Amino acid sequence: MVNNGSFSYDHSRDGRPTELGGCTAVVRNLDHDTFLVIRYVKRRLTIMIDIEGKQEWKDCIDIPGVRLPRGYFFGASSVTGDLSDNHDILSLKLYQLTVERTPFEDKEDKEVFVPSVDNMKLPGLEIPEEPMSGFALFLIVFLSLVGIVFAAVIGVLVYNKWRDRKS
């Protein structure tokens, strides 16, 4: 979920309206800890899981085009939506990666103010369309009528020529 602070998580639909992606992992009744790696590098969000405790990471999601502003917050929840499961987040380890960036990439990252994802519309971020002005509506109707009259005149002329040639 990418959020600018104005969206609430929709518990009744398991967050589907604002979901970026997900995967399924069977973690019930395991005798070892399970791990999750969340990595955000160069506008790419990747999540990998290790549910077998072998430190072998399996891809969960890989989403390019995630635009997060600098100074953002990271949130986690163990809520599943079911009362039958109890999950605990035992620890969070956060690291800042040093990544080489071009001056263009650095400038682009500084210009992000609202979290977003390329090619994905988040609810509430749509720009409302302005209604058509009265003058624009008048022009459309007027030009449509002129076009219809022009087509009718051409039709009458073609019909008269056809009738004259036939007789």
Side-chain angles (χ1 to χ4, degrees):
M1 168 179 193
V2 170
N3 191 345
N4 65 3
S6 65
F7 308 126
S8 59
Y9 184 81
D10 186 354
H11 290 281
S12 64
R13 295 192 293 174
D14 280 338
R16 294 282 190 247
T18 53
E19 179 182 78
L20 290 179
C23 64
T24 302
V26 179
V27 295
R28 184 178 284 157
N29 299 326
L30 297 178
D31 58 355
H32 58 275
D33 292 337
T34 56
F35 297 93
L36 174 78
V37 171
I38 302 171
R39 189 175 286 152
Y40 176 69
V41 178
K42 292 189 175 183
R43 296 192 174 172
R44 180 176 288 277
L45 178 68
T46 56
I47 298 179
M48 296 180 286
I49 57 175
D50 174 20
I51 58 173
E52 297 173 1
K54 298 179 181 177
Q55 293 188 357
E56 294 176 2
W57 300 101
K58 295 181 181 174
D59 291 332
C60 179
I61 62 171
D62 185 0
I63 303 172
V66 176
R67 297 172 183 266
L68 298 177
R70 292 185 177 193
Y72 53 90
F73 295 92
F74 179 79
S77 172
S78 62
V79 175
T80 63
D82 273 339
L83 295 176
S84 60
D85 287 332
N86 179 19
H87 298 280
D88 296 321
I89 298 175
L90 299 178
S91 69
L92 290 174
K93 294 180 183 178
L94 305 174
Y95 302 96
Q96 181 172 340
L97 302 175
T98 303
V99 177
E100 294 291 326
R101 294 188 177 164
T102 65
F104 176 74
E105 288 174 326
D106 201 36
K107 181 179 181 271
E108 247 187 354
D109 279 349
K110 287 180 182 175
E111 293 175 353
V112 176
F113 296 108
V114 177
S116 64
V117 180
D118 293 347
N119 301 320
M120 179 181 177
K121 288 186 179 180
L122 294 175
L125 288 183
E126 298 89 18
I127 299 171
E129 292 184 23
E130 292 184 22
M132 194 178 304
S133 71
F135 181 70
L137 186 60
F138 168 75
L139 278 178
I140 290 174
V141 171
F142 178 73
L143 292 176
S144 297
L145 288 174
V146 168
I148 290 171
V149 168
F150 182 73
V153 168
I154 296 295
V156 168
L157 290 174
V158 168
Y159 176 73
N160 286 337
K161 285 242 183 213
W162 174 76
R163 194 177 58 183
D164 289 344
R165 284 188 184 175
K166 195 172 182 179
S167 49

PDB file of all heavy atoms in Angstrom, residues 21-55:
ATOM      1  N   GLY A  21       0.366  -5.175  -4.465  1.00  0.00           N
ATOM      2  CA  GLY A  21       0.625  -6.560  -4.860  1.00  0.00           C
ATOM      3  C   GLY A  21       0.724  -7.395  -3.608  1.00  0.00           C
ATOM      4  O   GLY A  21       0.613  -6.909  -2.491  1.00  0.00           O
ATOM      5  N   GLY A  22       0.983  -8.666  -3.786  1.00  0.00           N
ATOM      6  CA  GLY A  22       1.109  -9.545  -2.633  1.00  0.00           C
ATOM      7  C   GLY A  22       1.458 -10.950  -3.055  1.00  0.00           C
ATOM      8  O   GLY A  22       1.547 -11.260  -4.245  1.00  0.00           O
ATOM      9  N   CYS A  23       1.703 -11.773  -2.079  1.00  0.00           N
ATOM     10  CA  CYS A  23       1.970 -13.185  -2.345  1.00  0.00           C
ATOM     11  C   CYS A  23       1.478 -13.977  -1.146  1.00  0.00           C
ATOM     12  O   CYS A  23       1.162 -13.415  -0.099  1.00  0.00           O
ATOM     13  CB  CYS A  23       3.455 -13.421  -2.604  1.00  0.00           C
ATOM     14  SG  CYS A  23       4.510 -13.059  -1.202  1.00  0.00           S
ATOM     15  N   THR A  24       1.424 -15.255  -1.299  1.00  0.00           N
ATOM     16  CA  THR A  24       0.930 -16.127  -0.244  1.00  0.00           C
ATOM     17  C   THR A  24       2.088 -16.938   0.327  1.00  0.00           C
ATOM     18  O   THR A  24       2.911 -17.459  -0.422  1.00  0.00           O
ATOM     19  CB  THR A  24      -0.133 -17.093  -0.803  1.00  0.00           C
ATOM     20  OG1 THR A  24      -1.185 -16.303  -1.383  1.00  0.00           O
ATOM     21  CG2 THR A  24      -0.707 -17.968   0.267  1.00  0.00           C
ATOM     22  N   ALA A  25       2.135 -17.040   1.639  1.00  0.00           N
ATOM     23  CA  ALA A  25       3.154 -17.841   2.314  1.00  0.00           C
ATOM     24  C   ALA A  25       2.484 -18.578   3.473  1.00  0.00           C
ATOM     25  O   ALA A  25       1.823 -17.959   4.302  1.00  0.00           O
ATOM     26  CB  ALA A  25       4.272 -16.953   2.826  1.00  0.00           C
ATOM     27  N   VAL A  26       2.647 -19.873   3.522  1.00  0.00           N
ATOM     28  CA  VAL A  26       2.065 -20.673   4.593  1.00  0.00           C
ATOM     29  C   VAL A  26       3.033 -20.644   5.771  1.00  0.00           C
ATOM     30  O   VAL A  26       4.121 -21.207   5.709  1.00  0.00           O
ATOM     31  CB  VAL A  26       1.818 -22.121   4.122  1.00  0.00           C
ATOM     32  CG1 VAL A  26       1.232 -22.956   5.250  1.00  0.00           C
ATOM     33  CG2 VAL A  26       0.897 -22.137   2.927  1.00  0.00           C
ATOM     34  N   VAL A  27       2.648 -19.951   6.826  1.00  0.00           N
ATOM     35  CA  VAL A  27       3.522 -19.791   7.986  1.00  0.00           C
ATOM     36  C   VAL A  27       2.897 -20.330   9.268  1.00  0.00           C
ATOM     37  O   VAL A  27       3.463 -20.165  10.348  1.00  0.00           O
ATOM     38  CB  VAL A  27       3.902 -18.297   8.183  1.00  0.00           C
ATOM     39  CG1 VAL A  27       4.720 -17.808   7.023  1.00  0.00           C
ATOM     40  CG2 VAL A  27       2.677 -17.445   8.373  1.00  0.00           C
ATOM     41  N   ARG A  28       1.789 -21.002   9.157  1.00  0.00           N
ATOM     42  CA  ARG A  28       1.095 -21.510  10.343  1.00  0.00           C
ATOM     43  C   ARG A  28       1.816 -22.739  10.912  1.00  0.00           C
ATOM     44  O   ARG A  28       2.212 -23.634  10.182  1.00  0.00           O
ATOM     45  CB  ARG A  28      -0.341 -21.864   9.977  1.00  0.00           C
ATOM     46  CG  ARG A  28      -1.166 -22.301  11.167  1.00  0.00           C
ATOM     47  CD  ARG A  28      -2.584 -22.586  10.777  1.00  0.00           C
ATOM     48  NE  ARG A  28      -3.256 -21.285  10.600  1.00  0.00           N
ATOM     49  CZ  ARG A  28      -4.333 -21.127   9.863  1.00  0.00           C
ATOM     50  NH1 ARG A  28      -4.853 -22.141   9.222  1.00  0.00           N
ATOM     51  NH2 ARG A  28      -4.895 -19.958   9.766  1.00  0.00           N
ATOM     52  N   ASN A  29       1.989 -22.717  12.233  1.00  0.00           N
ATOM     53  CA  ASN A  29       2.535 -23.845  13.002  1.00  0.00           C
ATOM     54  C   ASN A  29       3.946 -24.256  12.575  1.00  0.00           C
ATOM     55  O   ASN A  29       4.282 -25.439  12.593  1.00  0.00           O
ATOM     56  CB  ASN A  29       1.595 -25.061  12.924  1.00  0.00           C
ATOM     57  CG  ASN A  29       0.232 -24.762  13.508  1.00  0.00           C
ATOM     58  OD1 ASN A  29       0.110 -24.007  14.471  1.00  0.00           O
ATOM     59  ND2 ASN A  29      -0.802 -25.330  12.920  1.00  0.00           N
ATOM     60  N   LEU A  30       4.784 -23.324  12.205  1.00  0.00           N
ATOM     61  CA  LEU A  30       6.177 -23.632  11.882  1.00  0.00           C
ATOM     62  C   LEU A  30       7.004 -23.601  13.163  1.00  0.00           C
ATOM     63  O   LEU A  30       6.704 -22.859  14.100  1.00  0.00           O
ATOM     64  CB  LEU A  30       6.728 -22.625  10.869  1.00  0.00           C
ATOM     65  CG  LEU A  30       6.063 -22.603   9.497  1.00  0.00           C
ATOM     66  CD1 LEU A  30       6.688 -21.525   8.619  1.00  0.00           C
ATOM     67  CD2 LEU A  30       6.186 -23.960   8.817  1.00  0.00           C
ATOM     68  N   ASP A  31       8.070 -24.407  13.216  1.00  0.00           N
ATOM     69  CA  ASP A  31       8.911 -24.439  14.411  1.00  0.00           C
ATOM     70  C   ASP A  31      10.149 -23.541  14.282  1.00  0.00           C
ATOM     71  O   ASP A  31      11.105 -23.673  15.023  1.00  0.00           O
ATOM     72  CB  ASP A  31       9.339 -25.879  14.729  1.00  0.00           C
ATOM     73  CG  ASP A  31      10.080 -26.541  13.586  1.00  0.00           C
ATOM     74  OD1 ASP A  31      10.187 -25.932  12.508  1.00  0.00           O
ATOM     75  OD2 ASP A  31      10.576 -27.672  13.773  1.00  0.00           O
ATOM     76  N   HIS A  32      10.122 -22.644  13.307  1.00  0.00           N
ATOM     77  CA  HIS A  32      11.226 -21.704  13.119  1.00  0.00           C
ATOM     78  C   HIS A  32      10.652 -20.342  12.709  1.00  0.00           C
ATOM     79  O   HIS A  32       9.495 -20.245  12.318  1.00  0.00           O
ATOM     80  CB  HIS A  32      12.219 -22.217  12.054  1.00  0.00           C
ATOM     81  CG  HIS A  32      11.574 -22.470  10.730  1.00  0.00           C
ATOM     82  ND1 HIS A  32      10.944 -23.662  10.433  1.00  0.00           N
ATOM     83  CD2 HIS A  32      11.434 -21.692   9.634  1.00  0.00           C
ATOM     84  CE1 HIS A  32      10.452 -23.602   9.205  1.00  0.00           C
ATOM     85  NE2 HIS A  32      10.734 -22.416   8.701  1.00  0.00           N
ATOM     86  N   ASP A  33      11.494 -19.333  12.827  1.00  0.00           N
ATOM     87  CA  ASP A  33      11.068 -17.989  12.452  1.00  0.00           C
ATOM     88  C   ASP A  33      11.012 -17.854  10.935  1.00  0.00           C
ATOM     89  O   ASP A  33      11.730 -18.534  10.205  1.00  0.00           O
ATOM     90  CB  ASP A  33      12.036 -16.942  13.013  1.00  0.00           C
ATOM     91  CG  ASP A  33      11.970 -16.856  14.525  1.00  0.00           C
ATOM     92  OD1 ASP A  33      10.932 -17.236  15.092  1.00  0.00           O
ATOM     93  OD2 ASP A  33      12.967 -16.409  15.127  1.00  0.00           O
ATOM     94  N   THR A  34      10.156 -16.982  10.470  1.00  0.00           N
ATOM     95  CA  THR A  34      10.087 -16.668   9.044  1.00  0.00           C
ATOM     96  C   THR A  34      10.565 -15.231   8.867  1.00  0.00           C
ATOM     97  O   THR A  34      10.456 -14.420   9.772  1.00  0.00           O
ATOM     98  CB  THR A  34       8.651 -16.818   8.507  1.00  0.00           C
ATOM     99  OG1 THR A  34       7.781 -15.989   9.277  1.00  0.00           O
ATOM    100  CG2 THR A  34       8.189 -18.268   8.591  1.00  0.00           C
ATOM    101  N   PHE A  35      11.108 -14.942   7.682  1.00  0.00           N
ATOM    102  CA  PHE A  35      11.717 -13.643   7.451  1.00  0.00           C
ATOM    103  C   PHE A  35      11.171 -13.020   6.186  1.00  0.00           C
ATOM    104  O   PHE A  35      10.769 -13.707   5.250  1.00  0.00           O
ATOM    105  CB  PHE A  35      13.244 -13.785   7.334  1.00  0.00           C
ATOM    106  CG  PHE A  35      13.880 -14.302   8.591  1.00  0.00           C
ATOM    107  CD1 PHE A  35      14.093 -15.664   8.760  1.00  0.00           C
ATOM    108  CD2 PHE A  35      14.229 -13.430   9.604  1.00  0.00           C
ATOM    109  CE1 PHE A  35      14.665 -16.144   9.918  1.00  0.00           C
ATOM    110  CE2 PHE A  35      14.805 -13.899  10.759  1.00  0.00           C
ATOM    111  CZ  PHE A  35      15.033 -15.262  10.927  1.00  0.00           C
ATOM    112  N   LEU A  36      11.211 -11.708   6.185  1.00  0.00           N
ATOM    113  CA  LEU A  36      10.709 -10.917   5.075  1.00  0.00           C
ATOM    114  C   LEU A  36      11.716  -9.800   4.816  1.00  0.00           C
ATOM    115  O   LEU A  36      12.160  -9.139   5.752  1.00  0.00           O
ATOM    116  CB  LEU A  36       9.354 -10.327   5.475  1.00  0.00           C
ATOM    117  CG  LEU A  36       8.663  -9.360   4.570  1.00  0.00           C
ATOM    118  CD1 LEU A  36       8.001 -10.131   3.439  1.00  0.00           C
ATOM    119  CD2 LEU A  36       7.600  -8.599   5.344  1.00  0.00           C
ATOM    120  N   VAL A  37      12.106  -9.620   3.562  1.00  0.00           N
ATOM    121  CA  VAL A  37      13.012  -8.534   3.191  1.00  0.00           C
ATOM    122  C   VAL A  37      12.244  -7.575   2.302  1.00  0.00           C
ATOM    123  O   VAL A  37      11.658  -7.983   1.294  1.00  0.00           O
ATOM    124  CB  VAL A  37      14.251  -9.052   2.423  1.00  0.00           C
ATOM    125  CG1 VAL A  37      15.053  -7.896   1.855  1.00  0.00           C
ATOM    126  CG2 VAL A  37      15.114  -9.891   3.326  1.00  0.00           C
ATOM    127  N   ILE A  38      12.229  -6.311   2.701  1.00  0.00           N
ATOM    128  CA  ILE A  38      11.599  -5.265   1.906  1.00  0.00           C
ATOM    129  C   ILE A  38      12.710  -4.330   1.464  1.00  0.00           C
ATOM    130  O   ILE A  38      13.440  -3.793   2.292  1.00  0.00           O
ATOM    131  CB  ILE A  38      10.545  -4.493   2.720  1.00  0.00           C
ATOM    132  CG1 ILE A  38       9.484  -5.450   3.243  1.00  0.00           C
ATOM    133  CG2 ILE A  38       9.925  -3.387   1.878  1.00  0.00           C
ATOM    134  CD1 ILE A  38       8.532  -4.835   4.236  1.00  0.00           C
ATOM    135  N   ARG A  39      12.839  -4.156   0.159  1.00  0.00           N
ATOM    136  CA  ARG A  39      13.920  -3.332  -0.376  1.00  0.00           C
ATOM    137  C   ARG A  39      13.334  -2.296  -1.325  1.00  0.00           C
ATOM    138  O   ARG A  39      12.536  -2.621  -2.197  1.00  0.00           O
ATOM    139  CB  ARG A  39      14.899  -4.237  -1.121  1.00  0.00           C
ATOM    140  CG  ARG A  39      16.166  -3.538  -1.531  1.00  0.00           C
ATOM    141  CD  ARG A  39      17.145  -4.517  -2.150  1.00  0.00           C
ATOM    142  NE  ARG A  39      17.712  -5.350  -1.105  1.00  0.00           N
ATOM    143  CZ  ARG A  39      18.153  -6.571  -1.299  1.00  0.00           C
ATOM    144  NH1 ARG A  39      18.080  -7.128  -2.482  1.00  0.00           N
ATOM    145  NH2 ARG A  39      18.671  -7.263  -0.318  1.00  0.00           N
ATOM    146  N   TYR A  40      13.759  -1.053  -1.127  1.00  0.00           N
ATOM    147  CA  TYR A  40      13.333   0.045  -2.002  1.00  0.00           C
ATOM    148  C   TYR A  40      14.594   0.711  -2.524  1.00  0.00           C
ATOM    149  O   TYR A  40      15.299   1.401  -1.790  1.00  0.00           O
ATOM    150  CB  TYR A  40      12.463   1.043  -1.225  1.00  0.00           C
ATOM    151  CG  TYR A  40      12.054   2.247  -2.032  1.00  0.00           C
ATOM    152  CD1 TYR A  40      11.160   2.123  -3.092  1.00  0.00           C
ATOM    153  CD2 TYR A  40      12.562   3.502  -1.741  1.00  0.00           C
ATOM    154  CE1 TYR A  40      10.785   3.230  -3.835  1.00  0.00           C
ATOM    155  CE2 TYR A  40      12.187   4.611  -2.477  1.00  0.00           C
ATOM    156  CZ  TYR A  40      11.302   4.464  -3.522  1.00  0.00           C
ATOM    157  OH  TYR A  40      10.934   5.560  -4.255  1.00  0.00           O
ATOM    158  N   VAL A  41      14.901   0.479  -3.808  1.00  0.00           N
ATOM    159  CA  VAL A  41      16.101   1.028  -4.433  1.00  0.00           C
ATOM    160  C   VAL A  41      15.724   1.553  -5.811  1.00  0.00           C
ATOM    161  O   VAL A  41      15.128   0.830  -6.621  1.00  0.00           O
ATOM    162  CB  VAL A  41      17.198  -0.047  -4.575  1.00  0.00           C
ATOM    163  CG1 VAL A  41      18.423   0.514  -5.270  1.00  0.00           C
ATOM    164  CG2 VAL A  41      17.581  -0.617  -3.219  1.00  0.00           C
ATOM    165  N   LYS A  42      16.079   2.799  -6.081  1.00  0.00           N
ATOM    166  CA  LYS A  42      15.851   3.425  -7.384  1.00  0.00           C
ATOM    167  C   LYS A  42      14.427   3.220  -7.892  1.00  0.00           C
ATOM    168  O   LYS A  42      14.193   2.719  -8.982  1.00  0.00           O
ATOM    169  CB  LYS A  42      16.860   2.932  -8.416  1.00  0.00           C
ATOM    170  CG  LYS A  42      18.270   3.386  -8.130  1.00  0.00           C
ATOM    171  CD  LYS A  42      19.186   3.075  -9.281  1.00  0.00           C
ATOM    172  CE  LYS A  42      20.564   3.659  -9.022  1.00  0.00           C
ATOM    173  NZ  LYS A  42      21.461   3.452 -10.137  1.00  0.00           N
ATOM    174  N   ARG A  43      13.490   3.587  -7.045  1.00  0.00           N
ATOM    175  CA  ARG A  43      12.051   3.532  -7.376  1.00  0.00           C
ATOM    176  C   ARG A  43      11.536   2.133  -7.673  1.00  0.00           C
ATOM    177  O   ARG A  43      10.553   1.953  -8.383  1.00  0.00           O
ATOM    178  CB  ARG A  43      11.724   4.472  -8.537  1.00  0.00           C
ATOM    179  CG  ARG A  43      11.974   5.909  -8.174  1.00  0.00           C
ATOM    180  CD  ARG A  43      11.404   6.822  -9.168  1.00  0.00           C
ATOM    181  NE  ARG A  43      11.568   8.188  -8.657  1.00  0.00           N
ATOM    182  CZ  ARG A  43      11.309   9.244  -9.339  1.00  0.00           C
ATOM    183  NH1 ARG A  43      10.861   9.135 -10.551  1.00  0.00           N
ATOM    184  NH2 ARG A  43      11.480  10.438  -8.820  1.00  0.00           N
ATOM    185  N   ARG A  44      12.188   1.120  -7.163  1.00  0.00           N
ATOM    186  CA  ARG A  44      11.744  -0.263  -7.327  1.00  0.00           C
ATOM    187  C   ARG A  44      11.547  -0.860  -5.936  1.00  0.00           C
ATOM    188  O   ARG A  44      12.453  -0.851  -5.113  1.00  0.00           O
ATOM    189  CB  ARG A  44      12.773  -1.073  -8.104  1.00  0.00           C
ATOM    190  CG  ARG A  44      12.362  -2.522  -8.311  1.00  0.00           C
ATOM    191  CD  ARG A  44      13.355  -3.277  -9.165  1.00  0.00           C
ATOM    192  NE  ARG A  44      13.299  -2.883 -10.542  1.00  0.00           N
ATOM    193  CZ  ARG A  44      12.437  -3.351 -11.440  1.00  0.00           C
ATOM    194  NH1 ARG A  44      11.528  -4.241 -11.077  1.00  0.00           N
ATOM    195  NH2 ARG A  44      12.470  -2.941 -12.673  1.00  0.00           N
ATOM    196  N   LEU A  45      10.339  -1.357  -5.685  1.00  0.00           N
ATOM    197  CA  LEU A  45      10.016  -1.993  -4.418  1.00  0.00           C
ATOM    198  C   LEU A  45      10.014  -3.502  -4.629  1.00  0.00           C
ATOM    199  O   LEU A  45       9.280  -4.009  -5.482  1.00  0.00           O
ATOM    200  CB  LEU A  45       8.643  -1.526  -3.925  1.00  0.00           C
ATOM    201  CG  LEU A  45       8.154  -2.154  -2.624  1.00  0.00           C
ATOM    202  CD1 LEU A  45       9.004  -1.686  -1.454  1.00  0.00           C
ATOM    203  CD2 LEU A  45       6.694  -1.816  -2.385  1.00  0.00           C
ATOM    204  N   THR A  46      10.849  -4.208  -3.868  1.00  0.00           N
ATOM    205  CA  THR A  46      10.882  -5.667  -3.952  1.00  0.00           C
ATOM    206  C   THR A  46      10.670  -6.235  -2.554  1.00  0.00           C
ATOM    207  O   THR A  46      11.145  -5.675  -1.557  1.00  0.00           O
ATOM    208  CB  THR A  46      12.218  -6.194  -4.519  1.00  0.00           C
ATOM    209  OG1 THR A  46      13.287  -5.707  -3.724  1.00  0.00           O
ATOM    210  CG2 THR A  46      12.411  -5.778  -5.949  1.00  0.00           C
ATOM    211  N   ILE A  47       9.954  -7.342  -2.511  1.00  0.00           N
ATOM    212  CA  ILE A  47       9.738  -8.052  -1.256  1.00  0.00           C
ATOM    213  C   ILE A  47      10.078  -9.515  -1.504  1.00  0.00           C
ATOM    214  O   ILE A  47       9.621 -10.114  -2.477  1.00  0.00           O
ATOM    215  CB  ILE A  47       8.287  -7.905  -0.763  1.00  0.00           C
ATOM    216  CG1 ILE A  47       7.979  -6.436  -0.488  1.00  0.00           C
ATOM    217  CG2 ILE A  47       8.055  -8.750   0.485  1.00  0.00           C
ATOM    218  CD1 ILE A  47       6.571  -6.156  -0.019  1.00  0.00           C
ATOM    219  N   MET A  48      10.909 -10.052  -0.624  1.00  0.00           N
ATOM    220  CA  MET A  48      11.301 -11.461  -0.699  1.00  0.00           C
ATOM    221  C   MET A  48      11.028 -12.109   0.652  1.00  0.00           C
ATOM    222  O   MET A  48      11.070 -11.446   1.688  1.00  0.00           O
ATOM    223  CB  MET A  48      12.779 -11.573  -1.076  1.00  0.00           C
ATOM    224  CG  MET A  48      13.088 -11.021  -2.455  1.00  0.00           C
ATOM    225  SD  MET A  48      14.818 -11.143  -2.886  1.00  0.00           S
ATOM    226  CE  MET A  48      15.507  -9.852  -1.871  1.00  0.00           C
ATOM    227  N   ILE A  49      10.760 -13.401   0.622  1.00  0.00           N
ATOM    228  CA  ILE A  49      10.423 -14.114   1.856  1.00  0.00           C
ATOM    229  C   ILE A  49      11.316 -15.337   2.027  1.00  0.00           C
ATOM    230  O   ILE A  49      11.807 -15.916   1.052  1.00  0.00           O
ATOM    231  CB  ILE A  49       8.937 -14.543   1.860  1.00  0.00           C
ATOM    232  CG1 ILE A  49       8.607 -15.409   0.635  1.00  0.00           C
ATOM    233  CG2 ILE A  49       8.024 -13.351   1.936  1.00  0.00           C
ATOM    234  CD1 ILE A  49       7.205 -15.973   0.642  1.00  0.00           C
ATOM    235  N   ASP A  50      11.522 -15.715   3.287  1.00  0.00           N
ATOM    236  CA  ASP A  50      12.205 -16.960   3.642  1.00  0.00           C
ATOM    237  C   ASP A  50      11.335 -17.633   4.683  1.00  0.00           C
ATOM    238  O   ASP A  50      11.387 -17.288   5.859  1.00  0.00           O
ATOM    239  CB  ASP A  50      13.604 -16.676   4.185  1.00  0.00           C
ATOM    240  CG  ASP A  50      14.289 -17.943   4.698  1.00  0.00           C
ATOM    241  OD1 ASP A  50      13.866 -19.047   4.310  1.00  0.00           O
ATOM    242  OD2 ASP A  50      15.239 -17.814   5.497  1.00  0.00           O
ATOM    243  N   ILE A  51      10.500 -18.542   4.235  1.00  0.00           N
ATOM    244  CA  ILE A  51       9.593 -19.216   5.179  1.00  0.00           C
ATOM    245  C   ILE A  51      10.123 -20.578   5.621  1.00  0.00           C
ATOM    246  O   ILE A  51       9.569 -21.188   6.512  1.00  0.00           O
ATOM    247  CB  ILE A  51       8.175 -19.374   4.585  1.00  0.00           C
ATOM    248  CG1 ILE A  51       8.199 -20.157   3.286  1.00  0.00           C
ATOM    249  CG2 ILE A  51       7.529 -18.024   4.407  1.00  0.00           C
ATOM    250  CD1 ILE A  51       6.844 -20.488   2.750  1.00  0.00           C
ATOM    251  N   GLU A  52      11.211 -21.027   5.002  1.00  0.00           N
ATOM    252  CA  GLU A  52      11.765 -22.339   5.365  1.00  0.00           C
ATOM    253  C   GLU A  52      12.922 -22.232   6.344  1.00  0.00           C
ATOM    254  O   GLU A  52      13.454 -23.242   6.790  1.00  0.00           O
ATOM    255  CB  GLU A  52      12.195 -23.065   4.091  1.00  0.00           C
ATOM    256  CG  GLU A  52      11.015 -23.339   3.166  1.00  0.00           C
ATOM    257  CD  GLU A  52      11.437 -23.900   1.821  1.00  0.00           C
ATOM    258  OE1 GLU A  52      12.647 -24.098   1.595  1.00  0.00           O
ATOM    259  OE2 GLU A  52      10.544 -24.140   1.002  1.00  0.00           O
ATOM    260  N   GLY A  53      13.348 -21.020   6.653  1.00  0.00           N
ATOM    261  CA  GLY A  53      14.428 -20.824   7.608  1.00  0.00           C
ATOM    262  C   GLY A  53      15.795 -21.218   7.071  1.00  0.00           C
ATOM    263  O   GLY A  53      16.709 -21.495   7.834  1.00  0.00           O
ATOM    264  N   LYS A  54      15.968 -21.238   5.756  1.00  0.00           N
ATOM    265  CA  LYS A  54      17.232 -21.644   5.136  1.00  0.00           C
ATOM    266  C   LYS A  54      18.019 -20.465   4.583  1.00  0.00           C
ATOM    267  O   LYS A  54      19.036 -20.662   3.942  1.00  0.00           O
ATOM    268  CB  LYS A  54      16.954 -22.629   3.992  1.00  0.00           C
ATOM    269  CG  LYS A  54      16.295 -23.910   4.429  1.00  0.00           C
ATOM    270  CD  LYS A  54      16.045 -24.798   3.230  1.00  0.00           C
ATOM    271  CE  LYS A  54      15.365 -26.086   3.635  1.00  0.00           C
ATOM    272  NZ  LYS A  54      15.044 -26.929   2.469  1.00  0.00           N
ATOM    273  N   GLN A  55      17.547 -19.262   4.798  1.00  0.00           N
ATOM    274  CA  GLN A  55      18.127 -18.047   4.236  1.00  0.00           C
ATOM    275  C   GLN A  55      18.211 -18.136   2.708  1.00  0.00           C
ATOM    276  O   GLN A  55      19.161 -17.697   2.092  1.00  0.00           O
ATOM    277  CB  GLN A  55      19.490 -17.747   4.853  1.00  0.00           C
ATOM    278  CG  GLN A  55      19.386 -17.389   6.310  1.00  0.00           C
ATOM    279  CD  GLN A  55      20.686 -16.898   6.894  1.00  0.00           C
ATOM    280  OE1 GLN A  55      21.711 -16.869   6.231  1.00  0.00           O
ATOM    281  NE2 GLN A  55      20.630 -16.507   8.147  1.00  0.00           N
TER     282      GLN A  55
END
